[in-house]
Every structure is written in C-alpha cells, then in structure tokens.
Amino acid sequence: MMKQIFIICSLFIFITGVNSVIAKEWYEGGTLHKATMREFLCATQDNRMATISDMVAYVTESTGNKKVNFRELKRNTKDVVGCMSIGTIGIDIAEDMSVSHVALTCMILLQEQNPGKYPWNIKF
C-alpha cells in the first residue's frame, strides 16, 4: 500500500511540474484549491501552505472579521494544514474528499476547540 501511495505521489509531482510554479512568498503559488486530499498529501509543504492561506484569508474576511496580517495568517494556516494532514491519517475515504471541504472542517474544529483564538467566525 505504501509503495502504491509513493508511486502515485511521485507521478502527481512529475505531472504537475512542481518546479513550474516559482513562488516569491510563502503564500504565493498554491495550486491545490480544487484538489483531492490524495493530491494535497502528495504535494509539497509550500504548495499546501500557499493554497490553504488563500482559504484561511477568504473565510476570515468573508465572515466579517478583520483583515489578518501575514504573521497571523501564517500561524493560522499552519494550524489548518496540520489539522488536515494529521486528521486524515488512516482514513481511506478522506483521500477522495476535496481540499476545500477538509480545510473548512478543520477551521470549524479549530474554532470550536479554541474559542477566540482564530479570527474567523464560522456559523453553522
């Protein structure tokens, strides 16, 4: 099983041309907005961070909260990426879930577990 995942990840990186996107800042160059978690987990950490920073910034601003500074955005993005990476370990069905759905789920979980810590305010 691990060999298959390694082959799939290697093929994904080769096909998408990781080196074709040269980001200048940590939040630039994300390409995983419409990806599955399988693709997300095979991607580079830089690509994960850049993609999720877009989502964190969008949700934060669209829920009526202040515009976050880059230091706060990076800290919050790391938390969401960590939740996404750790929270889906060993869950086969998660591989086919969309990155955006898992990111939003993690943002809700983080908000509920740490009231007042995060700048977004997701109501459900």
Side-chain angles (χ1 to χ4, degrees), residues 36-108:
T36 64
M37 282 303 295
R38 179 181 299 110
E39 295 163 325
F40 181 84
L41 294 171
C42 289
T44 65
Q45 183 69 5
D46 290 345
N47 197 356
R48 292 180 197 177
M49 287 290 291
T51 299
I52 301 306
S53 72
D54 291 341
M55 295 178 186
V56 169
Y58 176 80
V59 170
T60 299
E61 291 177 17
S62 67
T63 57
N65 291 301
K66 63 179 178 151
K67 190 170 186 171
V68 296
N69 63 51
F70 286 111
R71 188 174 50 130
E72 185 179 11
L73 177 63
K74 189 171 188 176
R75 179 179 48 85
N76 295 336
T77 298
K78 282 182 180 180
D79 289 350
V80 175
V81 169
C83 172
M84 293 173 71
S85 300
I86 293 170
T88 57
I89 291 174
I91 304 173
D92 292 336
I93 195 169
E95 291 181 352
D96 295 322
M97 294 177 73
S98 74
V99 166
S100 58
H101 286 122
V102 176
L104 187 58
T105 300
C106 281
M107 291 177 76
I108 291 169

